[in-house]
Amino acid sequence: MAGGNERSMKALKEVWRRAENSFCADCGRPDPDWASSTLGVFICLSCSGIHRNIPSISKVKSLKMDHWDDAQVQFLAKHGNAVTKATYEAHIPIYYYQPTYNDCQVLREQWIRAKYERKEFTEPGKHLPYSDGVKEGILWKRGRDNGQFLPRKFLLSEREGCLKYFTKQDAKEPKISVKIDVINATFQPVKIGNPNGLQITCLKDNKTRNIFVYHESGKEVVDWFNAIRSVQFHYLKVAFPIASDNEIKNRLTRNFLKEGYMEKTGPKQREAFKKRWFTLDHRRLMYFKDPLDAFAKGEVFVGSRENGYSVEKGLPSGTQGNFSWHYGLTIVTPDREYLFTCETETDQLDWIAAFTSIINQAMTPQEYAIEAYFKFKS
């Protein structure tokens, strides 16, 4: 009996050591130490918790702590991540967002349920709820002035190339109509205070507008997110016919590079530093009095190194403004320097790394146009 158990453990370790099984099958986290005995995939602890919530589909066990019998080990050996992915991820639409371990719970859970429970990607041409080119429904939207979440009708249309929302169910005219190519959507459960919180940002007259929404159903809010990506993808395919699918995919929704509190001073650099919430959305650094403000109090364009932009650790000597945080950084632009302070050294280094990653990238023609607008505005 002991010998049989040792053989099973040895065989299990051999399967576990395969290169294909060295990353979680669902989120890509390295060194997964759980597996599904019914699906044959190797997964991380976090994803195993989601699998445990769909016991009719997946039975999970620890690879280190639980006993695996011969039949279960053979099943794992026959399947593994590569074989199982070939079945359950065979026909994922190019625009569908595949989350990683850095993404929030609702995205990862709906990805796992879409694959194994609803089998959305197992066959070609399957009708998907986010692929129709139109989506209409109710989302709970945060009021711009009062901060209350109220139900609002939203309409997404590929034919019209826009997203609209209406203050009343039977309203003929939308409160806002935004072109699909200037929309971004990113999940913000912590900021919004709801596990299904979604932040939709759009450019209106070259100013960024934030719309904060959620839906009680995790599936519904993720369907909205992927519907936005689907409509954007097909719109951009028409707008840029020679661009590859992957080039277009990279222009769909994006997560912010970094968010958090810093202190800032004004252009004269003698004013007191004020605490503000900052969002770095590619080359736009926006600052807000409150993280849930609809409009930024100001925006800074962050260009490329070859165009005279840089980030420096610390503040210029002789900085006179009063500040309570002592980990400074300076954004140098062709026109002026922007001074910020961070609460901790870790925050300071993280912000510097985020700015450096942008500054080291060459600017696109569209970004030169944005830079020109910022210069004109100032």
Side-chain angles (χ1 to χ4, degrees), residues 69-135:
D69 61 36
D70 286 342
Q72 290 171 332
V73 173
Q74 286 170 19
F75 183 80
L76 274 185
K78 190 176 165 187
H79 292 80
N81 289 1
V83 168
T84 309
K85 279 172 170 281
T87 299
Y88 290 99
E89 299 182 15
H91 302 283
I92 303 172
I94 185 86
Y95 57 78
Y96 188 95
Y97 185 82
Q98 298 177 45
T100 71
Y101 54 88
N102 291 318
D103 283 301
C104 62
Q105 175 82 4
V106 68
L107 266 175
R108 290 184 295 109
E109 178 175 354
Q110 291 308 314
W111 162 237
I112 288 168
R113 288 184 180 274
K115 283 201 292 183
Y116 307 121
E117 186 178 45
R118 300 192 291 269
K119 297 189 172 114
E120 290 182 6
F121 316 123
T122 55
E123 56 192 74
K126 186 167 182 177
H127 176 261
L128 299 169
Y130 37 81
S131 63
D132 291 336
V134 62
K135 187 165 177 62

Side-chain angles (χ1 to χ4, degrees), residues 104-106 186-198:
C104 62
Q105 175 82 4
V106 68
T186 179
F187 278 90
Q188 295 278 14
V190 175
K191 188 199 286 190
I192 293 173
N194 185 287
N196 301 335
L198 183 68

Side-chain angles (χ1 to χ4, degrees), residues 72-345:
Q72 290 171 332
V73 173
Q74 286 170 19
F75 183 80
L76 274 185
K78 190 176 165 187
H79 292 80
N81 289 1
V83 168
T84 309
K85 279 172 170 281
T87 299
Y88 290 99
E89 299 182 15
H91 302 283
I92 303 172
I94 185 86
Y95 57 78
Y96 188 95
Y97 185 82
Q98 298 177 45
T100 71
Y101 54 88
N102 291 318
D103 283 301
C104 62
Q105 175 82 4
V106 68
L107 266 175
R108 290 184 295 109
E109 178 175 354
Q110 291 308 314
W111 162 237
I112 288 168
R113 288 184 180 274
K115 283 201 292 183
Y116 307 121
E117 186 178 45
R118 300 192 291 269
K119 297 189 172 114
E120 290 182 6
F121 316 123
T122 55
E123 56 192 74
K126 186 167 182 177
H127 176 261
L128 299 169
Y130 37 81
S131 63
D132 291 336
V134 62
K135 187 165 177 62
E136 184 176 348
I138 300 296
L139 293 170
W140 288 80
K141 177 193 168 292
R142 187 179 192 271
R144 195 179 85 180
D145 301 317
N146 60 17
Q148 279 186 296
F149 281 89
L150 295 169
R152 295 288 183 255
K153 183 175 86 170
F154 280 76
L155 174 62
L156 175 70
S157 170
E158 184 180 314
R159 185 175 60 81
E160 296 181 48
C162 66
L163 175 70
K164 306 174 183 179
Y165 88 81
F166 303 79
T167 51
K168 294 198 169 93
Q169 277 276 62
D170 56 355
K172 297 276 191 295
E173 293 299 317
K175 174 81 172 180
I176 284 182
S177 178
V178 192
K179 293 259 297 171
I180 195 67
D181 59 333
V182 296
I183 286 176
N184 184 35
T186 179
F187 278 90
Q188 295 278 14
V190 175
K191 188 199 286 190
I192 293 173
N194 185 287
N196 301 335
L198 183 68
Q199 179 174 345
I200 298 170
T201 61
C202 52
L203 280 178
K204 205 76 167 147
D205 303 322
N206 223 342
K207 284 182 68 177
T208 304
R209 165 77 196 270
N210 293 324
I211 300 170
F212 301 98
V213 299
Y214 73 85
H215 196 282
E216 295 93 336
S217 161
K219 178 184 182 300
E220 181 66 10
V221 78
V222 173
D223 282 353
W224 268 102
F225 177 66
N226 280 304
I228 289 170
R229 289 174 62 87
S230 170
V231 168
Q232 280 185 332
F233 181 81
H234 292 107
Y235 178 91
L236 293 171
K237 280 288 280 183
V238 174
F240 302 96
I242 61 170
S244 71
D245 283 0
N246 272 324
E247 284 173 323
I248 292 175
K249 178 183 176 182
N250 290 335
R251 295 185 60 173
L252 303 183
T253 60
R254 64 202 173 272
N255 293 326
F256 299 136
L257 287 174
K258 181 155 177 61
E259 286 194 290
Y261 283 108
M262 289 193 290
E263 293 180 328
K264 69 170 287 292
T265 187
K268 294 179 182 175
Q269 300 179 1
R270 291 192 294 273
E271 303 94 328
F273 281 68
K274 293 179 180 175
K275 182 179 173 184
R276 295 288 182 254
W277 177 266
F278 286 82
T279 296
L280 182 58
D281 185 7
H282 198 55
R283 293 199 185 276
R284 286 177 181 264
L285 176 67
M286 297 166 278
Y287 53 94
F288 305 83
K289 200 165 185 181
D290 184 275
L292 294 173
D293 284 346
F295 292 100
K297 287 187 72 67
E299 299 189 32
V300 178
F301 181 82
V302 183
S304 64
R305 192 171 302 282
E306 62 188 10
N307 289 90
Y309 294 82
S310 63
V311 58
E312 297 173 0
K313 189 175 180 181
L315 302 175
S317 60
T319 300
Q320 295 175 4
N322 292 327
F323 48 87
S324 53
W325 292 348
H326 297 282
Y327 298 93
L329 62 94
T330 303
I331 299 289
V332 179
T333 80
D335 302 314
R336 60 170 280 201
E337 294 180 345
Y338 294 87
L339 311 187
F340 308 100
T341 59
C342 303
E343 187 174 16
T344 67
E345 186 179 19

